[in-house]
Structure formats: C-alpha cells, structure tokens
Amino acid sequence: MPISTSFRWRRSVAHRTFACILSSLLLHHNNPLSLLRSKSSLLPRPFPSSLLRRILSLTRSNPNISLRFFLFASSHLSLFPNLLDLATIFSILAAAGHLFPASHLFCPALRSYPAPTVLDALVRSSSCCKIFQSKVLSFVLELYSNLPSWNAMETFNRMRKFGLVPSSQSFNALLNMLCSNGECRTAWLVCAAALRIGVEMDHGSWPVMVRLLCLEDKVQRGEMLLNLGFPCRLSSYDLVVDCYASRRDFKAAIQVLNGMEERGLKLRLSTLCSVLEESCRFGNVRIAGFFMKEMIVRDLLPMVPSVDFDWIIISFCELGKTYAAMLIFQKALSRNFDLESTSYACLLGALAQKRREKEALKVFDIMSQNGIVVDPGTLDVFVSSICSAEPMEEVDAVIMNLMKNDFLPKASDLSIYVAENCRRGRWKESTELLHLALDKCVLMTGSCCCLLMNHFCRNGFLDLGIGLHEKLKGLGGFLDVDSYNVLLEALVVDGRTMEAVGVFDCMRTKNVLSSFSFVIMISALCHEKELRKAMNLHDEMLKLGLKPDIATYKRLITGFQ
C-alpha cells in the first residue's frame, strides 16, 4: 500500500522533533549515554540512518559526543551504518582534527567502495563551508595515498574541480605515493597543478622534491635544493649521498658530507654507510678503508671492530647495506672469529631480501657446516629468494635437503622454481623436486604441474603422468583442461581407455572439460565398442553446450555407425 505524502510529512516532523530532543540531551546532560542505555528500550531498533545523520549534524559542535553516540547506536541500537552514515561521522571528526578515530572508522569503507562513490558521500555529508570540505577531503587524500591504489589521484582531481585546496601534508603524501610507484612525470604535473590552485609547500615538501629529482637521476639539482637552505630532513642528504655513491662519484658524495658538517648536521651511521656500501660493491678498497676509519673516529663503530663484529654486521644488515656487511663478515671469518647465530641469520635474511642469491647460498652453506639453526622466518625469505633465482644444482640440493628435514617452502615459491627448471629443460631435476614436494603434501600451483604433464605425455612417460595425476587428485589439486586433454589423448593412443575414463571422471568432478575432451573420450569408447557409454557422453556434451565444430562433429558421429 503506497505511503501518503501527509504520512511522510508527519514522520519527518516527528524525526526532526525527536532528533532535537535527543541532541539537546546529548549536548547538555552530564552523562547522557548512561541515561540512554537505561532507557534504550524506548529508542527505535534498528536505529534509522536518516535519524542518526540528523542527530550527528545537530551535535557536530561537540565531535566527541557525536562519536560516542555513533558508537552507542552501533553497539546498542542495532545500527548497521551505511556509507553515508560513515561519511557523516568521518566528516565531523576530520573537520575537528580528530584524525585517529576518523581513519579507524572510515578506512574499511575506503577499501570497500569505489572512490567516486566515497567522494560523493563525503561531499553530501560534509558542511557547505569550503574550509571544512578542504579539511575532510585533504585527509581522505592522505589516507588514499597510503593505500595501494590510484584513488588518491581521483580525490586530487575532484578537489581541483570543486575549487578545494589540499593541505600541505596530503599534497606531500600524494607526491610520495607517486614517487614510490615511479610516476615521476605525473608527480611533476601534480606539483604544478597544486601550486596553481594555491597549495602551500611546507618543511615536508622539500624532501619529496629532492627524492623526485634523485629518482629522475637529476642528483645535482637535488643537491642544489639542499644548498639553497630549504628545510630538508637528514634522509634527503642520505638520498643525495647514496645517489652520488651509486654512480661511483665518491668525490661529490664527500663534498655533500662536508657541506652537512658545515651546516652543523651530525653525520649518522646510515649516511656514511651509503658510501661504504657502494665502495664495497665496486671494489674500491681505498674509499672503503677511509670510511671505516671515519666511522671509528666518529664513534659510530667500535674502536676495535674485531671486538664486536656481531653488532657491526647486524647494524649494517638492518640498514640494508649487504656489501658492507659481507666485508665485515669475511674479515671475521679470516680471523676465525666465532660469530653469533643471530649475525648469520641477519646476514642471510638481508642477502636474500636484496636478491644476492649466490652470496646467500655461501652463507647458508657455512651455517650448515657449523650446525647453526636458521629460524623459520629467515628460511622463508631465503628460500623465496633462491627460488626466484637462476636454477642451479646448489639450489636444487638446498631445497631438497630442507624438505627432507621437514621444512616446507611456500607452494608458490617452489612452483616458480620448478616451472623455470622446466622451461630450461631440466626435466629430471624438476621431476624430483615436484615428487618430493607432493610427497610432503605441498600442493604445487598448476603451471609447473602442467608443464611436467605435457613433457611426460609427449615423451612416452605415461606412468609418470598418471602418477602425477593421482598425487594431485589426492591433495585436491588439478591441472588445466589442455594438460588433461594431452593426458587423455596419450592414454587412448596407448590403449589404456579405462584409465582415460578415470581421468575424465576426475575432470568432470573438477568441472575442467572442453569439447575436445568429449571428442577424445567418445571416439575412444566407440573404438572399444562401448556405444552406450559413448552415446551418454555425447548427450552430456550437448547438454553442456560443448558441441565441437561441424566438421569434427560429423567425424565423431560416424563412429556410432
């Protein structure tokens, strides 16, 4: 029965009156939520969203009260807030500077809804005052900039369209996001557009500019910004020094370091270690020795490094300076110094993260010889690294030994390695690794299994193919339809039709079928004079809409004659 206009009007008046009474109680009573909790039976359940938004709007002068009532309605009045409800409370909190609870409430919505929908809801729910809208959308821009998406750009463009000016902090966050994604050109375009609409650069903007210039290999211009006296963090100096050192321009790097000292900036271990790292990478012993001495003179390293090799190795690894860490590690080994297991583990993990697989294998070999146990987390990083490296016997042996000792690599990492072995024609090694993994109940992903199945069937190793199929079936895995068809065809050609029927039944269970699968099986059953079974498959094929092309279908039905 349609609702009359007068009823809607009366309900709207009642809502407005109720909202005014309730918001007055919330704003002026000493402990309003306790009172509401004791009288909650008098409140509507579920609490209407429209009424909630009206109350939030009337209490926006006290954001804490708005937030507490919103949480109360959610927990006690069966309120299931929609996007507009969330946008309303978020706008109130963000405009008032209550950023932590605002982000806590709204971040799930940012991940769940498309950016245009979110922005429309925020514009509808926020005050018409442009200052408040700028605050709200600036915070959303900052939140989006910390998420793995391009929604931040959508927000920035929407703000420009509405004539809203992003805050310096949100502008810096957007530029940092673009830098992290290597979008240098887009970053410069955003920078130009932001300055045109009145965005003010603050002390956090200049480090982003330096980062952007260094990413574009314009390190001299980055150094110019440092020399012009703009407020930059020490990390900006580190970046410029690191860029010069990575270009083997150690003289320029030392000049920047001297400039830092002239400005009264204290050189940190991370700054000097950048130059040490690159000098070790390029084998410049003179520069490496000079910076080791500098670190000792400045009390950044122990006066006698051999006293605390462990601390130095761990410190360098934490900074990601693996070449410098390997220099100290090799010195410790040459002096027969007994390093702690944590030093080995830290170095192994750092080398693996930097994709220095050969050095990581050497360190792991030394650890194995010395009986040093590696923690599972470090082993995961190490195995992931060597699985993505070039296949070689050393890697095969390490992975096999680890699995035999009950350490099970991630199926995705091992699948990548086995697939790469297959592409390089290392079929024997691939087969051994795959079978050991399946025996250990590691369910490999389809790509490597499919490559091996195709190899087995095309080269006459049908028993190995059937064995692979049975192991995958036992673990709940399956192949793609093309690989199954290759297996079916090979079995039929070899006169093993009943085994092919078993494979086909498995394909049916996993819903991995094609018209070619039916063609193979119907033809095989006709050849074996199993015409009834063949006809049943024919009917099933048509029912599933997998009828082959006309020429193939004509050849197929001749088998029934």
Side-chain angles (χ1 to χ4, degrees):
M1 186 174 176
I3 298 174
S4 67
T5 305
S6 61
F7 177 80
R8 287 199 193 95
W9 179 80
R10 288 196 300 273
R11 186 174 63 179
S12 177
V13 171
H15 271 194
R16 279 201 300 271
T17 306
F18 184 72
C20 289
I21 295 169
L22 197 54
S23 58
S24 180
L25 174 70
L26 289 168
L27 289 170
H28 300 113
H29 198 278
N30 287 333
N31 198 354
L33 293 182
S34 295
L35 179 61
L36 290 177
R37 201 173 287 115
S38 64
K39 305 289 184 181
S40 62
S41 60
L42 301 176
L43 298 174
R45 292 168 186 262
F47 202 79
S49 287
S50 59
L51 184 57
L52 171 77
R53 292 195 296 274
R54 194 180 296 275
I55 293 169
L56 292 178
S57 179
L58 291 170
T59 58
R60 68 166 55 243
S61 59
N62 192 329
N64 284 323
I65 289 292
S66 299
L67 174 61
R68 289 170 63 193
F69 180 72
F70 178 86
L71 296 175
F72 170 78
S74 300
S75 58
H76 290 80
L77 303 179
S78 306
L79 171 73
F80 297 101
N82 57 32
L83 179 59
L84 199 54
D85 301 336
L86 292 168
T88 303
I89 186 64
F90 175 82
S91 298
I92 293 169
L93 295 172
H98 295 20
L99 303 183
F100 178 75
S103 63
H104 178 73
L105 285 171
F106 207 58
C107 272
L110 294 181
R111 293 187 177 92
S112 304
Y113 293 93
T117 307
V118 171
L119 297 174
D120 288 339
L122 287 168
V123 171
R124 282 180 60 193
S125 62
S126 60
S127 166
C128 294
C129 175
K130 282 198 171 185
I131 295 174
F132 287 118
Q133 285 188 348
S134 291
K135 281 186 177 181
V136 172
L137 290 185
S138 288
F139 189 46
V140 171
L141 174 59
E142 188 178 344
L143 292 176
Y144 268 138
S145 296
N146 294 320
L147 295 176
S149 70
W150 282 94
N151 292 332
M153 283 300 299
E154 174 78 22
T155 309
F156 177 74
N157 291 330
R158 185 72 69 93
M159 292 185 75
R160 287 174 63 201
K161 180 181 177 182
F162 292 153
L164 304 176
V165 180
S167 66
S168 301
Q169 189 170 334
S170 62
F171 166 66
N172 297 338
L174 175 58
L175 287 186
N176 265 318
M177 183 271 286
L178 293 170
C179 287
S180 298
N181 288 296
E183 295 288 339
C184 297
R185 178 173 169 75
T186 306
W188 285 120
L189 293 172
V190 166
C191 187
L195 293 175
R196 280 197 297 272
I197 62 175
V199 173
E200 295 181 0
M201 298 180 72
D202 66 358
H203 64 279
S205 306
W206 300 110
V208 184
M209 294 292 108
V210 173
R211 182 186 180 193
L212 189 51
L213 288 166
C214 289
L215 279 174
E216 290 194 312
D217 204 25
K218 297 174 181 176
V219 64
Q220 292 90 348
R221 294 184 183 180
E223 185 187 359
M224 282 173 60
L225 279 183
L226 300 179
N227 294 333
L228 286 172
F230 291 112
C232 286
R233 303 188 185 103
L234 284 173
S235 58
S236 300
Y237 287 90
D238 289 353
L239 189 57
V240 171
V241 169
D242 190 53
C243 284
Y244 274 131
S246 63
R247 295 165 61 177
R248 300 194 192 190
D249 194 346
F250 297 114
K251 183 179 178 180
I254 292 170
Q255 285 177 348
V256 175
L257 296 174
N258 291 337
M260 290 177 68
E261 287 198 306
E262 290 170 7
R263 295 183 183 90
L265 298 172
K266 187 177 179 181
L267 298 183
R268 302 180 299 174
L269 179 64
S270 59
T271 312
L272 295 174
C273 203
S274 293
V275 188
L276 176 63
E277 172 78 355
E278 299 304 326
S279 61
C280 291
R281 184 200 301 270
F282 296 123
N284 194 323
V285 180
R286 184 176 64 84
I287 294 292
F290 171 77
F291 273 88
M292 283 292 293
K293 289 175 185 175
E294 281 292 309
M295 292 179 192
I296 293 169
V297 169
R298 295 171 188 275
D299 291 330
L300 298 172
L301 291 182
M303 186 62 70
V304 183
S306 58
V307 173
D308 209 347
F309 278 136
D310 291 297
W311 181 86
I312 298 173
I313 290 171
I314 292 171
S315 297
F316 285 175
C317 288
E318 288 174 348
L319 292 170
K321 310 302 182 185
T322 54
Y323 285 93
M326 278 299 289
L327 172 70
I328 303 302
F329 177 73
Q330 288 162 354
K331 281 191 176 185
L333 291 182
S334 66
R335 298 180 187 181
N336 296 319
F337 188 87
D338 290 329
L339 292 169
E340 294 179 3
S341 59
T342 50
S343 302
Y344 280 100
C346 195
L347 180 58
L348 181 68
L351 289 168
Q353 287 179 340
K354 291 289 184 178
R355 300 298 181 187
R356 296 181 60 193
E357 294 85 9
K358 291 183 179 179
E359 292 83 353
L361 284 167
K362 289 177 184 176
V363 172
F364 183 77
D365 186 49
I366 294 169
M367 294 174 74
S368 301
Q369 291 174 13
N370 294 338
I372 297 171
V373 179
V374 188
D375 64 278
T378 304
L379 266 182
D380 266 335
V381 176
F382 169 64
V383 172
S384 178
S385 174
I386 61 176
C387 283
S388 62
E390 181 182 351
M392 57 181 101
E393 290 181 10
E394 293 87 344
V395 177
D396 299 341
V398 166
I399 294 174
M400 297 277 279
N401 286 333
L402 286 172
M403 284 198 289
K404 286 174 181 175
N405 291 319
D406 295 328
F407 173 80
L408 302 180
K410 292 178 182 175
S412 56
D413 293 332
L414 193 54
S415 299
I416 289 169
Y417 184 69
V418 172
E420 188 58 32
N421 271 293
C422 293
R423 293 186 191 98
R424 292 170 182 254
R426 301 180 80 235
W427 298 109
K428 181 175 179 292
E429 295 82 357
S430 300
T431 304
E432 290 175 356
L433 283 168
L434 181 68
H435 281 298
L436 180 57
L438 294 175
D439 288 342
K440 294 287 185 178
C441 297
V442 178
L443 181 57
M444 308 286 278
T445 56
S447 59
C448 64
C449 297
C450 292
L451 287 168
L452 276 169
M453 180 61 80
N454 278 273
H455 170 72
F456 292 153
C457 295
R458 296 184 193 286
N459 290 276
F461 304 118
L462 264 181
D463 290 334
L464 289 175
I466 285 292
L468 174 57
H469 161 71
E470 291 297 334
K471 285 184 177 180
L472 282 174
K473 180 181 172 183
L475 294 173
F478 55 93
L479 303 167
D480 62 30
V481 67
D482 292 331
S483 300
Y484 273 127
N485 288 342
V486 169
L487 177 59
L488 288 178
E489 200 168 22
L491 288 170
V492 168
V493 169
D494 202 48
R496 299 162 69 169
T497 304
M498 289 303 105
E499 288 179 82
V501 170
V503 172
F504 186 85
D505 289 339
C506 178
M507 293 170 67
R508 182 190 284 122
T509 304
K510 298 293 183 182
N511 195 25
V512 187
L513 291 168
S514 69
S515 60
F516 188 50
S517 313
F518 281 99
V519 168
I520 294 169
M521 291 309 303
I522 292 170
S523 300
L525 290 170
C526 287
H527 184 267
E528 296 290 328
K529 306 303 181 186
E530 296 281 355
L531 298 181
R532 184 177 295 278
K533 291 180 180 178
M535 184 56 71
N536 289 337
L537 280 185
H538 171 270
D539 295 343
E540 183 182 350
M541 176 184 72
L542 297 181
K543 186 177 179 181
L544 292 173
L546 294 176
K547 182 178 178 181
D549 60 80
I550 295 174
T552 305
Y553 186 67
K554 284 182 177 179
R555 286 197 302 272
L556 184 65
I557 60 177
T558 56
F560 290 103
Q561 296 174 0

